[in-house]
Structures are given as structure tokens and as C-alpha cells.
Amino acid sequence: MMMKLFAFLAAAPFLLSSFSCAFTLLRTPPRPAYYDVSLQATRKPFISGNWKLNPQTKDEAIQLAKEIADAVLPTSPDSDVALFVPYVFIDAAKQAVGDKIEIGAEAVCPEGKGAFTGATSAPMVKSMGVQWSLAGHSERRVLFGETDEYINRQCLKLIEEGMSVMLCIGESESEYDQDLAGAVCAVQLKKGLAGITKEQMSNVAIAYEPVWAIGTGKVATPEVAQKVHATCRSILAEIFDQETADSTRILYGGSVSPESVDELMAQPDIDGALVGGASLDSKKFARIINFEVA
């Protein structure tokens, strides 16, 4: 018995250290005690749609863009509104929406020019009047094999061109089930934002999109989404500082709908939405643009 006790005591420091490390990795960092909820009011809401590989024709794109632009009214919330559309529809969509809505690219190649068949560069879309582009969407990561390093190069190139980037991050369902959302987001944020200065963060927005909720109809509860957003803001404070974290807009994406948008937008760390399927339905997206928060 005494031998077992001595063995346990000898191993205790290692066991405690291992437990502490695992707990630090998995837990959600708490909001700083001095956090001022009024800071949310300084971050302008950002409602955006991602059309992906839709619609099928230019005429359909123009019609949809016009209908969505018509939903931006003088009575609408004071928000930035953007549509990320296929390259071939950028010019037509810009003409259809006028100055009501920003038209962005769904991705860019980090190379400036050269022998990269099928690629579209940041300078190319910038020459069409585009200011924003997505980077790191889960479909680009999974279907096209884009790595954190490649995504970081996209971010750096866009900022080098004086443009703005919406960096998409998020965990898979299995990672969520293992309580790894915070750890996954930390890795994707730190790698995706490598080399970006705190001053350049004014050209960056973050979109948290749990992969298990994209296109599935599943939506993280407002409480779960808020928890992860608070974690992301804490990670930004660790990478940069609290001021930068407090000023960076973090959007939620993942089957956002007219039914879920109000509760999501009421959360203190959710600053907008990146909407997939519902952005292809002008009536649904109109309701999301005109979200209501008590």
C-alpha cells in the first residue's frame, strides 16, 4: 500500500500538468471582467450573402440582386450589406444593386499573375470595383484542399492590394462533439491572420461557421454561437490586443434563417451573418437584412 501511495505522489505533478493543459485547450476563455457590453454598439452590423455556385444564369443573378437591393430601405438597420457572388456575375450584380450593397468575391488566388489556369487574382477583382473577398470558407478547405497557409496568403494578398477580407473559420461536427470548437478556431485564426498587423485588422472581418451547420438546416443555438464568438474575441485579444479584439466584427454563418436571425443578432459578440441558402431567396434574405433586436 505504501509503495502505491509513493508512486501516485510521484506521478501527481505530471497528471495535474496534463489535466491543466487539456483543460486550457478545451475550455472557452472567459470574457474579461472589464468588458463593456456597449462596445458592441461601436461595431457596425454586417449582413452578407454567399451565393456559392448559384444562380445558373446572368439574368437570374441580376433579378435576384435587384430584389435583394430593394430590401435595403431607409428603415432598415444601420448595417453593411454585401453579396459574395461568382466571378462571372460580379459586374452585372454591381450594376443591379448600385450603391446599396457591396458586391464581393467568393475567393481569390494569392498569386498576382502568371501560369495559373482557371485562377482569379485579387488585382483582377479589384479592377472591377470589388473591395471584399471571402477566404477560408469550409467548402474551399474541404473540397478544394485549401490549407491554412494558402488561406493566409489570400488574406495577405488582399490586404496588400488595399482590399478587405472575411476570414471564415469553424469546426466539424466531430470536433464540436469533442468540445474542440475553441481549439480549432484558435488554430485557424492564428494561422489565417499570421503576418497581419493590428492596424490592418480594420480590413478584416471574421465569419464563424460551424461546418456541421452549413447547408444542413442545423443552427447553433444563440447561446452556443455566442460562446464561440466570445472565445474567438478572446483569441484575437491574445493575438493582437483587447482594443483590436473589441473592434473586429465577428459574423455567424451556418443555415441562418429569418427564424433564427433576431436571436443571433441579439447576442453581444455576434456582429452579423454570413448567409448561404437563404441569400438565394430574396424574401428570406430581405427579412435577415431587416433583422429585429429588442
Side-chain angles (χ1 to χ4, degrees):
M1 178 66 74
M2 291 297 294
M3 292 296 291
K4 290 182 178 180
L5 177 60
F6 288 142
F8 173 78
L9 291 174
F14 173 76
L15 293 173
L16 288 172
S17 175
S18 298
F19 175 79
S20 175
C21 179
F23 180 74
T24 300
L25 178 65
L26 296 177
R27 74 185 179 91
T28 298
R31 186 192 299 283
Y34 53 83
Y35 185 85
D36 184 355
V37 176
S38 66
L39 288 169
Q40 183 187 27
T42 68
R43 299 189 297 267
K44 190 175 184 180
F46 195 167
I47 304 297
S48 57
N50 176 17
W51 282 2
K52 308 186 182 186
L53 191 61
N54 300 289
Q56 297 305 297
T57 70
K58 178 180 175 181
D59 288 345
E60 290 173 339
I62 292 171
Q63 181 64 30
L64 179 58
K66 285 181 176 178
E67 290 175 359
I68 291 173
D70 288 343
V72 181
L73 305 170
T75 55
S76 296
D78 184 19
S79 307
D80 288 331
V81 181
L83 290 172
F84 294 97
V85 308
Y87 302 122
V88 294
F89 296 148
I90 286 175
D91 190 54
K94 284 184 68 67
Q95 293 185 43
V97 302
D99 60 1
K100 280 188 167 185
I101 295 176
E102 191 83 33
I103 299 298
E106 295 179 10
V108 295
C109 173
E111 303 295 339
K113 60 180 179 179
F116 301 96
T117 301
T120 301
S121 71
M124 287 176 180
V125 296
K126 181 181 179 181
S127 72
M128 299 177 70
V130 168
Q131 175 61 29
W132 281 89
S133 176
L134 300 178
H137 191 280
S138 64
E139 290 156 5
R140 300 296 306 180
R141 295 176 187 265
V142 175
L143 300 178
F144 296 92
E146 293 187 1
T147 64
D148 287 311
E149 291 71 24
Y150 184 87
I151 291 161
N152 174 241
R153 290 176 58 210
Q154 289 178 301
C155 294
L156 291 172
K157 185 62 178 178
L158 286 161
I159 290 175
E160 177 189 319
E161 292 295 326
M163 300 171 69
S164 298
V165 59
M166 185 178 293
L167 173 62
C168 303
I169 61 172
E171 79 286 355
S172 67
E173 187 165 15
S174 63
E175 290 165 338
Y176 174 77
D177 289 340
Q178 296 175 68
D179 198 21
L180 291 172
V184 171
C185 290
V187 170
Q188 292 178 347
L189 281 171
K190 290 178 180 180
K191 288 188 173 183
L193 298 174
I196 294 174
T197 68
K198 58 176 292 184
E199 291 77 20
Q200 292 171 329
M201 282 298 291
S202 60
N203 288 79
V204 176
I206 306 298
Y208 166 63
E209 295 192 297
V211 178
W212 49 269
I214 299 174
T216 64
K218 298 178 181 178
V219 183
T221 66
E223 293 75 21
V224 168
Q226 164 58 27
K227 182 180 179 181
V228 181
H229 278 237
T231 298
C232 292
R233 207 171 298 284
S234 296
I235 295 165
L236 291 174
E238 178 187 338
I239 299 171
F240 302 102
D241 55 30
Q242 193 62 50
E243 180 183 10
T244 303
D246 289 338
S247 62
T248 300
R249 293 184 289 185
I250 306 177
L251 289 67
Y252 173 77
S255 298
V256 177
S257 68
E259 293 74 30
S260 65
V261 66
D262 294 345
E263 284 190 83
L264 288 167
M265 290 301 295
Q267 304 304 311
D269 285 293
I270 296 180
D271 305 311
L274 177 58
V275 184
S279 70
L280 299 172
D281 184 317
S282 59
K283 291 183 179 178
K284 289 183 178 179
F285 198 51
R287 175 63 181 82
I288 292 170
I289 289 172
N290 292 283
F291 65 90
E292 300 174 1
V293 176

